[in-house]
């Protein structure tokens, strides 16, 4: 038959090809899988162009660790690409090593992510999506900070990357065979500085302050902006905060700076109410900065085409205003709402709304 040469499938494993022979390997433009315990799997078959055909890669044909880690590495990379398209790390072909000698762990070493096989009372870590997201999250953190990431927060940062993709505070379900409860949970509350002292000085423990702070902040953004925008805003703010290489003592100021929209922290930031309240509750605020409320405005649809207001007659304007900020921002003072407008490009005029 005809050798079809190099073909790349999409994230769902779908590709287009003419009739011919295909030899599939677990490799793509962004990741190369290395099985430390066996030869990497390949699958050969013949395709007939012009029709959609499904091909199944059986467990008996090779280690599933290769497929699972390859797929989930692409998932987390694709997610982060929408948040930091300028990050050169995302353009690299990155090694993913599976069945590395050891059990019950995984690690990022600066140049690759590495996963252990099943054993020691644990499942194979390369087959657990949360663990893959977590380890690649270390790579994102490392590269956003040019290699200077803070050890005290790093495990919490990597956990957040996993939680926001799975949308689940439970990290690593089935890490232990048959056990739905994972190895950590984003709802566990720790505060600074007690949360980094004594037994909590271990990096997976000290990171829990970060994870809970940002998981709660993510939930507040969802309540404020809706599910889709709330998650997007939270994840983008998280990424941009990491660019400043934060530590716990600097994290509040860096998060506000990343949220700022007018180069003036003295008038608050778009999400300063939520940020200040959440960071304060975790002991991360020494001096609180000015907060800014968030209002939701709804109004009547514009008049239809062809409608003309009688000359010199008042133009009715009706606006419903609702505060979407937490109580820590204070109540909305309706008497201070003003309408700013111009007529035919003239001077700006201001009217105080009543009601």
């Amino acid at each position: 038959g005809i050798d079809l040469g190099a073909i790349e499938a999409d994230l769902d494993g779908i590709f287009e090809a003419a009739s011919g022979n295909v030899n599939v390997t677990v490799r793509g433009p962004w990741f190369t899988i290395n099985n430390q315990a066996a030869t990497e799997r390949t699958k050969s078959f013949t395709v007939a162009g012009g029709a959609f055909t499904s091909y199944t890669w059986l467990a008996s044909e090779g280690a599933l660790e290769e497929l699972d880690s390859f797929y989930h590495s692409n998932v987390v990379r694709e997610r982060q690409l929408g948040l930091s398209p300028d990050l050169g790390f995302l353009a690299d072909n990155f090694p993913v090593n599976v069945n590395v000698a050891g059990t019950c762990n995984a690690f990022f070493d600066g140049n690759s992510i590495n996963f252990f096989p099943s054993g020691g009372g644990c499942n194979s870590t390369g087959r657990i999506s949360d663990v893959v997201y977590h380890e690649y999250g270390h790579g994102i953190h490392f590269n956003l900070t040019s290699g200077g990431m803070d050890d005290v927060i790093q495990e919490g940062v990597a956990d957040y990357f996993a939680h926001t993709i799975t949308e689940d505070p439970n990290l690593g379900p089935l890490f232990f065979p048959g056990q739905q409860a994972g190895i950590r949970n984003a709802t566990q509350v720790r505060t600074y500085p007690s949360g980094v002292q004594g037994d909590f000085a271990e990096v997976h423990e000290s990171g829990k302050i970060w994870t809970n702070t940002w998981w709660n902040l993510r939930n507040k953004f969802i309540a404020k902006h809706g599910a889709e925008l709330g998650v997007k805003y939270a994840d983008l703010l998280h990424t941009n905060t990491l660019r400043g290489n934060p530590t716990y003592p600097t994290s509040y100021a860096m998060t506000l700076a990343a949220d700022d929209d007018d180069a003036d922290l003295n008038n608050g930031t778009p999400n300063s109410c939520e940020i200040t309240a959440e960071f304060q509750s975790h002991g991360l605020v020494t001096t609180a900065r000015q907060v800014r409320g968030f209002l939701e405005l709804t109004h009547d649809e514009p008049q239809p085409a062809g409608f003309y207001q009688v000359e010199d007659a008042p133009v009715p304007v009706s606006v419903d205003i609702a505060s979407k900020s937490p109580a820590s921002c204070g109540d909305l003072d309706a008497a201070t709402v003003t309408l700013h407008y111009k007529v035919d490009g003239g001077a700006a005029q201001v009217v105080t709304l009543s009601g």
Side-chain angles (χ1 to χ4, degrees), residues 1 79 100 134 136 209 220-221 238 248 289 304:
R79 173 73 166 250
V100 176
H134 172 102
Y136 194 74
I209 302 171
K220 288 181 176 180
F221 279 25
H238 186 249
Y248 280 135
R289 300 296 300 263

Side-chain angles (χ1 to χ4, degrees), residues 309 311-315 339-351:
Q309 186 72 17
E311 186 176 2
D312 295 329
V315 178
L339 171 68
H340 299 244
Y341 69 97
K342 294 181 180 180
V343 177
D344 295 331
Q349 301 183 54
V350 181
V351 174

Side-chain angles (χ1 to χ4, degrees), residues 76-139:
V76 61
R77 177 198 169 272
E78 187 74 15
R79 173 73 166 250
Q80 188 61 31
L81 189 63
L83 302 170
S84 55
D86 60 311
L87 190 61
F89 167 67
L90 302 176
D92 296 337
N93 188 287
F94 199 66
V96 179
N97 302 318
V98 300
N99 291 328
V100 176
T103 58
C104 298
N105 211 338
F107 63 93
F108 164 79
D109 63 5
N111 299 302
S112 63
I113 50 178
N114 302 269
F115 304 97
F116 293 170
S118 59
C122 304
N123 279 318
S124 171
T125 55
R127 299 207 60 202
I128 304 171
S129 62
D130 302 44
V131 179
V132 178
Y133 303 153
H134 172 102
E135 296 305 335
Y136 194 74
H138 278 309

Side-chain angles (χ1 to χ4, degrees), residues 182-334:
I183 52 178
R184 289 184 290 281
N185 198 293
T187 62
Q188 187 172 9
V189 179
R190 294 279 172 80
T191 59
Y192 188 82
S194 62
V196 300
Q197 297 170 345
D199 291 341
F200 296 157
E202 192 275 329
V203 291
H204 294 89
E205 295 296 323
S206 65
K208 291 179 179 179
I209 302 171
W210 187 275
T211 308
N212 184 242
T213 299
W214 281 91
W215 181 253
N216 291 351
L217 195 59
R218 180 185 187 273
N219 288 335
K220 288 181 176 180
F221 279 25
I222 291 172
K224 179 178 181 179
H225 300 290
E228 183 176 353
L229 282 179
V231 171
K232 181 177 180 179
Y233 288 159
D235 290 353
L236 183 60
L237 180 60
H238 186 249
T239 288
N240 289 336
T241 299
L242 293 178
R243 292 179 187 272
N245 196 10
T247 62
Y248 280 135
T250 65
S251 59
Y252 172 60
M254 288 189 175
T255 303
L256 286 179
D259 190 51
D260 189 34
D261 59 351
D262 63 358
D264 183 7
L265 291 178
N266 292 321
N267 64 1
T269 72
N271 299 290
S272 53
C273 283
E274 292 79 9
I275 293 168
T276 297
E278 199 54 49
F279 278 67
Q280 236 169 4
S281 72
H282 286 84
L284 299 173
V285 176
T286 302
T287 303
R289 300 296 300 263
Q290 175 66 42
V291 295
R292 185 196 307 175
F294 181 81
L295 304 178
E296 182 178 74
L297 280 67
T298 56
H299 57 82
D300 296 336
E301 291 295 320
Q303 297 290 357
F307 178 87
Y308 297 95
Q309 186 72 17
V310 177
E311 186 176 2
D312 295 329
V315 178
V317 176
S318 176
V319 181
D320 292 323
I321 304 173
S323 174
K324 303 292 286 187
S325 297
S328 59
C329 270
D331 296 326
L332 169 65
D333 184 357

Side-chain angles (χ1 to χ4, degrees), residues 15-28:
F15 64 90
E16 294 183 5
S19 298
N21 299 328
V22 175
N23 185 45
V24 180
T25 61
V26 188
R27 177 187 173 92

Side-chain angles (χ1 to χ4, degrees), residues 33-41 61-63 65-66 98-100:
I33 303 298
N34 304 300
N35 191 332
Q36 303 291 300
T39 301
E40 290 78 27
R41 62 167 56 203
E61 297 175 307
E65 288 88 347
E66 296 176 29
V98 300
N99 291 328
V100 176

